[in-house]
Amino acid sequence: MDVSLTAWTLTVVGLCALIAADFFIGRKPHEVSVREAGVWTVVWIVLAALFGAGLYAAGGGAPAGEFFAGYITEKSLSVDNLFVFVLIMAKFAVPARYQQRVLLIGVLIALVMRAGFIAAGAALIANFSWIFYVFGAFLIYTAGKLIHDARREEHDEEYEEGRLLKLVEKRFPSTGAWHGTKMFLRENGRRLMTPMFVVVLALGTTDLLFALDSIPAIFGLTDDPYIVFTANAFALMGLRQLYFLIGGLLKKLVHLSYGLSVILGFIGVKLLLHALHESGVHVPEISIPVSLGVICGVLAVTTITSLYASARETRREVPEETARTDGRAAATDAGTPEKDGAGT
């Protein structure tokens, strides 16, 4: 899709305006209700759908299909990221009223970093056709690693700080208490970090690692930098509201990592087939409609099986808890002397 500089400029300006409006509306720190999160989640999804419809009107079904496939893929990968975000919030005991601001700044940092990754990826693809082999092999490796981690840890309930974050906390003094949304302050002539800055840094470095998976994945669906960037932008910009909307449901998506591993593995195979085709080997290529169908189908099956498994586990735990309660009650009764009613 041939996108002019004017279109790029208008798109970036439009996204910046949406971010500014989002920041202005939520500028006052507060606890986000499920209703507020739900309304804004729908708003961002509708905006993404309208943008995809605009691509369809301007360029036809191909760019629109690539955008929706990329958007859904990035959105699903972002949901997996929320597991870690929840752990980070718990690790640093982020007050509920500040979580919205932390996530907003974290998403902005992630968007800037991913723009750099997208530019680098587009430059590599334009100059080195063999990079598709690297991207494809990396995604297949990542898919296998996701399954291995899911079986070993089953989403461990503890967040471990990365080396960069540990180095920053060790080398630079920080305050132990929160000071509103301030990230730095000065005490006794010293400039100190606040917990707000530490948490934002944790979110930023975490997303940097996630981008290593998501950027090659979307380049497996389209090599158009404009579509890659906008799909990432719309997926990330609704991430904050999604965090508050489904935060309590994340633990029920027990099979999400397996579904994402299938999607990444599928896109990895698609990239390898494309690389072989570019090298002159006559192999079938996977079309965007097929890719979109596979991605949506895997996510639907994963969600259904996750909810079923979670419900079955809940039903199994209730009798066990009831049995433990009855056992404790029986033991208490057994240890209490019976009164024969005689007075003393």
Side-chain angles (χ1 to χ4, degrees):
M1 182 177 178
D2 187 17
V3 181
S4 65
L5 179 61
T6 301
W8 266 104
T9 303
L10 291 175
T11 300
V12 172
V13 170
L15 291 174
C16 290
L18 291 174
I19 293 172
D22 192 11
F23 182 84
F24 179 79
I25 293 172
R27 67 189 183 280
K28 184 179 180 180
H30 65 284
E31 295 187 29
V32 179
S33 65
V34 174
R35 181 179 181 277
E36 179 184 349
V39 169
W40 279 103
T41 297
V42 172
V43 168
W44 285 115
I45 292 175
V46 169
L47 288 174
L50 291 175
F51 183 83
L55 286 179
Y56 180 83
E66 292 175 357
F67 171 79
F68 284 119
Y71 172 75
I72 294 172
T73 299
E74 293 298 316
K75 201 71 171 178
S76 59
L77 291 172
S78 296
V79 171
D80 195 44
N81 299 353
L82 292 181
F83 282 106
V84 182
F85 288 179
V86 170
L87 298 180
I88 291 175
M89 295 293 187
K91 170 76 174 181
F92 294 99
V94 182
R97 64 184 180 276
Y98 297 141
Q99 290 183 6
Q100 178 178 337
R101 180 64 60 85
V102 167
L103 287 169
L104 177 61
I105 299 174
V107 166
L108 291 177
I109 294 174
L111 190 56
V112 172
M113 289 193 303
R114 293 198 182 198
F117 272 104
I118 292 168
L124 288 173
I125 290 173
N127 293 281
F128 307 102
S129 59
W130 50 263
I131 199 66
F132 286 113
Y133 289 106
V134 177
F135 284 175
F138 178 74
L139 289 179
I140 293 174
Y141 164 78
T142 303
K145 188 174 182 298
L146 266 179
I147 295 177
H148 179 266
D149 292 344
R151 289 178 174 176
R152 185 184 62 184
E153 300 177 5
E154 293 297 334
H155 295 296
D156 191 11
E157 294 296 325
E158 184 177 353
Y159 167 74
E160 295 186 3
E161 300 177 5
R163 292 183 180 180
L164 175 61
L165 187 59
K166 289 180 179 179
L167 178 63
V168 171
E169 290 181 303
K170 182 178 180 181
R171 296 292 297 274
F172 299 96
S174 61
T175 65
W178 288 78
H179 295 267
T181 57
K182 293 181 179 179
M183 290 194 286
F184 295 95
L185 56 84
R186 189 171 295 277
E187 288 184 356
N188 301 324
R190 293 197 308 165
R191 187 176 177 84
L192 304 177
M193 300 184 305
T194 68
M196 172 70 77
F197 177 80
V198 177
V199 176
V200 167
L201 183 61
L203 292 176
T205 53
T206 299
D207 188 79
L208 180 63
L209 297 177
F210 288 142
L212 297 178
D213 301 336
S214 64
I215 299 303
I218 193 170
F219 269 116
L221 298 169
T222 176
D223 57 1
D224 189 326
Y226 182 78
I227 296 177
V228 173
F229 173 74
T230 51
N232 265 274
F234 279 103
L236 283 174
M237 289 164 62
L239 184 60
R240 179 167 59 95
Q241 289 78 11
L242 197 61
Y243 170 86
F244 295 105
L245 181 63
I246 68 171
L249 299 177
L250 287 174
K251 291 183 179 180
K252 295 184 178 181
L253 300 178
V254 293
H255 297 159
L256 180 61
S257 291
Y258 297 102
L260 293 178
S261 68
V262 172
I263 292 173
L264 291 178
F266 169 78
I267 297 175
V269 172
K270 182 178 184 300
L271 272 172
L272 291 179
L273 291 174
H274 179 71
L276 290 170
H277 183 79
E278 291 292 313
S279 299
V281 180
H282 296 289
V283 294
E285 287 200 82
I286 301 173
S287 66
I288 288 298
V290 172
S291 300
L292 188 57
V294 169
I295 292 169
C296 293
V298 170
L299 290 176
V301 171
T302 299
T303 301
I304 293 172
T305 58
S306 294
L307 296 178
Y308 174 77
S310 297
R312 186 177 59 180
E313 183 68 19
T314 301
R315 289 194 300 269
R316 187 171 67 86
E317 289 177 353
V318 170
E320 292 178 356
E321 182 63 28
T322 302
R324 286 195 295 267
T325 303
D326 293 343
R328 287 194 296 268
T332 302
D333 293 341
T336 302
E338 294 185 2
K339 296 181 180 179
D340 56 10
T344 56

